[in-house]
Each structure stands twice: as C-alpha cells, then as structure tokens.
Amino acid sequence: MKLKSVIFSRLSLAVALAFALSSCTTTQAEFRKDPARVTKSALCRTFITNTDLAFTQELTGELARRRIEPIECVNMVQQENQAAAAVVAVALVGTAIAVCANNDCGGGYYPAYPAYPGNCQYEWHRDARGNRCGRRSASSKPGGW
C-alpha cells in the first residue's frame, strides 16, 4: 500500500512540474496591469509563444526595459524545459524501478536445472583432488545424476 502512495506522489510531482512550466506565461491583461510584476520566466515564455504582433511589441519593450536580449529568453526557456524533462524522467524511472523491485519484473538467474551437488557433473570437470573426472562424471553414467 505504501508503494502505491510513493508511486502516485512521484507521478503527481512530475505531472505538476510539467504543467507548471508549460503554463508559466502571462496574459495580456495581467501584463498590461503591471508589467514589472511579471517574472522573467513568464515574460520570456510569453514572448516566445505569443502570436499577437501588437502584444509581441509590448513584450519586446518590456524585455528592452529590463535589458534582456530575446536570445537570452530562448536559452532560459530551453534550460528550464530540459530541467523539467530531467525531473520528470528521474521520477518516472524511479517509479519504474520501485514497481519492478516489488513485483520481481527484473528477471534474474533461474537455472533450467538445479545445480549439481558434486564436483564431477561433466567429463572435463575436476574432482576434489584436481584430477579430471572423465568417465567417472555424472553425465557419462546412464541416467546422469
């Protein structure tokens, strides 16, 4: 039961972070109300995603007032997106590992046959004294071991 809550919380965190970054823009009304209160990240994200030419000019003016180059916005948004993707990836991989660890889905070594209890299973093996087993081996005898 505890594992399910851990998995749910990790996935929730990843989804929340992804949505938070994708919706971290500002509206024209918020921007026009007080441009100085808009964060640099929101300003840059809005500048990059906006399609309204008049609003783009207003955003460009605010960027210039803050001495922020448009290429700086592109780089910052790209770095934020990469960081968010890394966090989401780590959360998902961690969740997958936790699920597999508790459900034994990683496989493992399962021999087709049980291990031979002695030293001489095959002819090329050596006995306790170091001599080759040869015809004394279990595989040389009728029925094996």
Side-chain angles (χ1 to χ4, degrees), residues 39-111:
T39 66
K40 180 180 176 182
S41 178
L43 181 65
C44 285
R45 283 187 179 277
T46 306
F47 174 75
I48 291 170
T49 59
N50 179 50
T51 57
D52 182 354
L53 185 59
F55 189 40
T56 300
Q57 289 176 339
E58 292 178 53
L59 294 168
T60 304
E62 182 62 21
L63 289 172
R65 188 187 72 72
R66 296 185 189 189
R67 300 178 191 257
I68 301 171
E69 294 292 325
I71 191 66
E72 186 180 341
C73 279
V74 172
N75 292 336
M76 183 185 70
V77 169
Q78 186 178 25
Q79 287 174 351
E80 287 176 353
N81 289 346
Q82 288 171 347
V87 168
V88 169
V90 167
L92 292 176
V93 168
T95 301
I97 289 170
V99 168
C100 276
N102 286 320
N103 294 318
D104 197 26
C105 63
Y109 178 69
Y110 297 104

